[in-house]
Amino acid sequence: MPMHAQELEDLLRQSFPNAQIAVEGDDGVHMSAMVVDESFRGMNRVQQQRAVYAALKGKMDGASAELHALALTTRAPD
């Protein structure tokens, strides 16, 4: 079952409740997300993106994943 943008945002919000989150994508399989959160301060980009993928709780894992592709932008607030 494809994932909708609001579902992805809700899932990210569980792990990053105070983040600025923007999710785009209309096919339910290929999406983009921007997550700006204070918890990323001091982390490199790989660490930030690993934290986001962990928040997805397996939704991108395996051949029958709900989400196939995610273009991800992460950073700490300015």
Side-chain angles (χ1 to χ4, degrees), residues 7-32:
E7 292 174 281
L8 179 57
E9 182 175 342
D10 292 345
L11 190 59
L12 292 171
R13 184 95 31 223
Q14 290 175 17
S15 294
F16 305 102
N18 298 315
Q20 175 188 346
I21 299 173
V23 177
E24 296 179 358
D26 58 1
D27 68 0
V29 179
H30 302 88
M31 296 185 170
S32 64

Side-chain angles (χ1 to χ4, degrees), residues 25-63:
D26 58 1
D27 68 0
V29 179
H30 302 88
M31 296 185 170
S32 64
M34 179 188 67
V35 182
V36 180
D37 192 66
E38 186 61 40
S39 69
F40 296 151
R41 192 163 310 282
M43 291 182 177
N44 65 38
R45 191 171 314 257
V46 172
Q47 292 169 322
Q48 294 172 13
Q49 293 189 359
R50 283 183 180 158
V52 171
Y53 285 119
L56 296 178
K57 301 176 182 172
K59 300 293 185 184
M60 290 188 72
D61 296 347

